Amino acid sequence: MDRFVQRSKSSTSRSPLATGSGNSNKRPEGAAQRTTPTKRRRVAELKESGDEDDEFDLPTLTKSIRDSEDEAPKMPPRQTAIESSLPAVPIDKEAIEQYEAMCSSQPQIDEDNTTTRFEKRQWVPGKSSIYVDAFNLALETVLEDESPLFDIKEKHVFEQWRGLSYETQYLYVRLFLRKTASWHRVERLHSSYSNDITDVDLAIENLLEPRELPGDSSNSPEETRSEGLEVWSLGDTFTFADDSQEYIKTMADATPLLSLDELKALAKDAKVKGKNKADLVKALCHTSARQAGLLSLGLSRQNTNESIASRDQEPEDNQEKTEVNRDSHFLRKILATTGPLIRLSEPIFKLFERVHLVFYRSTEWTENSLTAIILAKIARRNYPDYIVCRSSNIFDSRQSLLEFELSMRKDFEVDKVLEFNGPPGEAGFLKVLEIFEGIAERWRELLRQEQHRENHVYEFGEGSYLRRFNAAHAFTRVAHKAAYVLGRLHRYREEHALLTELLSQHLFHPARRGSWYQRKALLEERYMWEVDPDPVSTSPETQKKHWQQIALITCETGLEDRDCHLIYHYDLQKRLLKLEKRLRVPRRLQHDFGHVKLREPEEHNVQGIQLVRDDPDPKGKNGRGLSTKTT
């Protein structure tokens, strides 16, 4: 193995570097047909040579190769036009040392934070979970750049939340994902979360603990203006959860907490009947309110010394509150059946909903805000990969956020009446109109403000991409649904006025303009001549022609509107041609839409012969005759 590097005996196979001579001008034979070999290939060729007389040491050979490469002239690397325009990037040893020094000087990033753990799906049982991490990720992201949108009390609530233990946060988040404002039995929480929480009672106790909030004596004028936009507010103290002993005081609150079997057992004792749960609840509340108790008849418990002593110790207020009915009796029985209950505190629950509204930037209200991100992380819902670049100027002030939240809640309230709870009926329609009347003035004011910005502030229409986060966007959606309700109630004059108001603005919901034109033209053609408050003539025919001419102009305006979608053009064109014939417009002045008419569909007629089996029994097996189905 000592002679592993040898030279060939043939002089024609010797390399200039192998001979040790510095003559680089002499070419061996066949050099024109070969490319310049690499360093590794040259060493390999020398290894394969078979000269046993001359020996070479490998380090010496490598050093000679490097020296020859250093002596060769170096050609400058070729750069493209883009590379030449970029600044020079140092790649020498000093640049590497500078980079290492910069990395060592920077503080080390904690790899166990919420964002890293949530992205890498590193959840440790008993220490972290996808539910808590998703909840905290939304909170930390919002407070990082958009903390001015929350006041002092709300920030103090967030600090108290960070001070809760992991198990307490886990229980709160799991209840947060369940049905809103519902009571939960403590015994069922033990059975549901005993595998994830070591001490459920301690977690419930932490949620029920009263906590103080700082005063709000130093409110700014902007915060004072924002107070009227909140349907709820934080007081001097708060709790993360509510206790049933403090909040359940009436039969109307207690009876829905029972299951159907428990309600039937209670109804049997009270001797009431009902077909379903709703009937049983109604019957129990009615019976308990009408049935008088013994104390209301003047009887008192005076048969023992203990009852007399307890009666003497009762305060005067309790002595005056005699049992005029049996509500308290049934209430005690219901709470004994259910046991202790808790629910999430409404102000804190809605505060976290506001945080998620800022985090997700949603334009439609949802009660399951964390569902999307959790389903994505457990691969139940797949979204395309994209780069998230959050901007902190979506809401320029706290007041704009509160107004946007109020508009979203109003829109969701209207949707619950019209879509989520079955047929609304007349009572539901009147409730929708009541909601709209409460926001109508503010909606019109916001329209004027946004139109002023469009005309005087924005130069190139740059405000359109943030317009969906304006409260007027949701208010316009409420106005659209209110117009539908007015039509269902046959209040055509008010509906026509509202549709005219919707079409007068071009900033919000431009995709609905085609349907507004359609409905407005229909009202003008069929109904407005009867409900016109200021008729142009006493003759019905003259009045009809007057409004038909207005409907014709509405159709023309809709076809000329650039925001009116193409799918509405056919209906508007058809109505326009019909009105022109009815009004006897001269032929030369009538519209012709032949250039946009669609081609007639092709018709294909298929004929066949039905095949019927021959059956000796004409009535068939069932006595109904033979089957005529083909096989």
Side-chain angles (χ1 to χ4, degrees), residues 524-548:
E524 292 167 348
E525 180 186 356
R526 296 185 180 181
Y527 305 110
M528 287 304 297
W529 67 274
E530 292 181 324
V531 298
D532 189 1
D534 188 15
V536 296
S537 175
T538 57
S539 174
E541 294 299 326
T542 305
Q543 187 73 1
K544 285 183 180 180
K545 289 184 179 181
H546 169 71
W547 280 103
Q548 287 173 359

Side-chain angles (χ1 to χ4, degrees), residues 98-231:
Q98 292 177 2
Y99 176 76
E100 293 176 350
M102 180 190 67
C103 293
S104 60
S105 63
Q106 291 181 349
Q108 296 295 327
I109 301 176
D110 185 11
E111 294 295 337
D112 195 25
N113 56 14
T114 305
T115 306
T116 304
R117 186 169 60 248
F118 191 78
E119 292 178 352
K120 296 182 179 180
R121 304 181 184 181
Q122 298 176 348
W123 298 292
V124 182
K127 295 183 180 180
S128 63
S129 69
I130 184 175
Y131 304 102
V132 180
D133 285 349
F135 192 91
N136 289 331
L137 177 65
L139 180 61
E140 293 173 4
T141 305
V142 170
L143 294 182
E144 183 178 359
D145 296 324
E146 298 170 275
S147 59
L149 299 177
F150 302 92
D151 59 11
I152 299 176
K153 288 186 176 182
E154 294 169 349
K155 293 178 181 178
H156 188 75
V157 172
F158 299 148
E159 293 177 1
Q160 293 288 333
W161 167 261
R162 294 191 183 99
L164 296 177
S165 62
Y166 161 74
E167 293 186 347
T168 307
Q169 290 184 355
Y170 180 85
L171 178 60
Y172 185 91
V173 175
R174 293 305 300 266
L175 297 182
F176 184 88
L177 291 172
R178 297 172 73 171
K179 190 175 180 180
T180 306
S182 60
W183 290 96
H184 308 280
R185 300 187 184 186
V186 173
E187 60 178 355
R188 292 182 180 177
L189 297 181
H190 278 276
S191 59
S192 300
Y193 304 120
S194 58
N195 296 331
D196 302 307
I197 303 176
T198 56
D199 194 347
V200 179
D201 292 331
L202 179 60
I204 295 175
E205 183 180 351
N206 292 334
L207 294 178
L208 296 175
E209 179 184 353
R211 305 169 190 270
E212 295 184 356
L213 288 174
D216 54 352
S217 58
S218 59
N219 282 350
S220 62
E222 182 180 353
E223 293 180 353
T224 304
R225 292 193 303 269
S226 303
E227 290 179 357
L229 301 175
E230 288 184 330
V231 295

Side-chain angles (χ1 to χ4, degrees), residues 293-304:
L294 294 177
L295 295 180
S296 64
L297 300 177
L299 300 179
S300 61
R301 298 176 181 175
Q302 298 181 1
N303 55 344
T304 60

Side-chain angles (χ1 to χ4, degrees), residues 231-250:
V231 295
W232 57 271
S233 60
L234 297 174
D236 297 332
T237 60
F238 79 97
T239 57
F240 286 101
D242 299 332
D243 191 4
S244 59
Q245 296 180 357
E246 184 178 355
Y247 287 91
I248 299 179
K249 300 295 183 182
T250 62

